[in-house]
Amino acid sequence: AQSVAQPEDQVNVAEGNPLTVKCTYSVSGNPYLFWYVQYPNRGLQFLLKYITGDNLVKGSYGFEAEFNKSQTSFHLKKPSALVSDSALYFCAVRDSSASKIIFGSGTRLSIRP
Amino acid sequence: EAGVAQSPRYKIIEKRQSVAFWCNPISGHATLYWYQQILGQGPKLLIQFQNNGVVDDSQLPKDRFSAERLKGVDSTLKIQPAKLEDSAVYLCASTWGASAEQFFGPGTRLTVL
């Protein structure tokens, strides 16, 4: 069975500092991995994905994520945080051989000025 | 390109009443998803359609929830009768392929009193 975990409910970072939001997963086959962001009273917006190829993927708004197969992780990163990055972030995984996508419980990112 | 449309945006009903939500996916997207997002949690898949066929409805409470996707385009999700624990945001999403990201609508916030 596939699963995804976001171990931190909240991450607090000062503006200008690097940020990391953690995600680990479990699938039986090859993973398709996604990051989404949700602003208040809005639907989820796609940030980036890993399907195959380079382990470091770049996405919207300066975010990037690194796929680590041995650690089964797909952490979201940004070199310099902005206050406007404050939002709820969801990691999602899909087994390449299955149809269902599973979302993590979410991490609230708070960037202080 | 127009995004995923959902209506209504908000709905308040009494328990045991019925309610229906509507979704219009992005043109050309064969796969449509309905999710339930309870406050503080990640989206939980209720049902997935491929064109007008059901791919996965394993987490749909079929005694009270139903969904259809006539002609493989628009979709409706119905709850009858509603319970207090159905209070949540109902998100619709669509995608064109298994490895592609999902595009989410703004959601319908349901409050059951």
Side-chain angles (χ1 to χ4, degrees), chain B residues 35-55:
Chain B
Y35 291 91
Q36 180 192 59
Q37 186 178 21
I38 292 173
L39 188 64
Q41 299 181 17
K44 183 184 86 171
L45 179 68
L46 292 175
I47 189 167
Q48 177 184 344
F49 291 96
Q50 181 75 18
N51 296 310
N52 61 350
V54 175
V55 174

Side-chain angles (χ1 to χ4, degrees), chain B residues 46-86:
Chain B
L46 292 175
I47 189 167
Q48 177 184 344
F49 291 96
Q50 181 75 18
N51 296 310
N52 61 350
V54 175
V55 174
D56 188 331
D57 64 356
S58 58
Q59 297 190 93
L60 187 74
K62 298 180 185 64
D63 58 333
R64 299 184 301 107
F65 286 64
S66 64
E68 60 182 8
R69 191 183 183 196
L70 299 176
K71 301 180 181 178
V73 182
D74 293 8
S75 178
T76 57
L77 176 70
K78 297 179 181 178
I79 308 175
Q80 181 178 9
K83 293 184 175 181
L84 297 177
E85 59 261 36
D86 297 332

Side-chain angles (χ1 to χ4, degrees), chain A residues 2 8 29 101:
Chain A
Q2 59 192 63
E8 302 156 317
I101 184 167

Side-chain angles (χ1 to χ4, degrees), chain A residues 21-41:
Chain A
V21 183
K22 296 179 180 177
C23 172
T24 58
Y25 67 90
S26 175
V27 296
S28 55
N30 293 318
Y32 293 162
L33 294 155
F34 304 84
W35 275 103
Y36 290 86
V37 60
Q38 187 173 36
Y39 297 100
N41 299 315

Side-chain angles (χ1 to χ4, degrees), chain A residues 32 34 36 38 40-46 48-49 51 88 90 94 96 98-106 108, chain B residues 9-10 33 35 37 40-43 45 48 55-56 58-59 91 96-102 104-106 109:
Chain A
Y32 293 162
F34 304 84
Y36 290 86
Q38 187 173 36
N41 299 315
R42 302 275 296 275
L44 280 70
Q45 296 178 36
F46 168 75
L48 50 79
K49 66 180 178 182
I51 303 300
L88 194 53
F90 291 97
R94 176 176 179 166
S96 59
S99 61
K100 183 185 296 184
I101 184 167
I102 302 293
F103 282 82
S105 55
R108 186 166 299 281
Chain B
R9 290 295 310 276
Y10 304 92
Y33 308 81
Y35 291 91
Q37 186 178 21
Q41 299 181 17
L45 179 68
Q48 177 184 344
V55 174
D56 188 331
S58 58
Q59 297 190 93
L91 296 167
W96 58 262
S99 63
E101 63 272 23
Q102 295 180 37
F104 284 82
R109 182 176 298 277

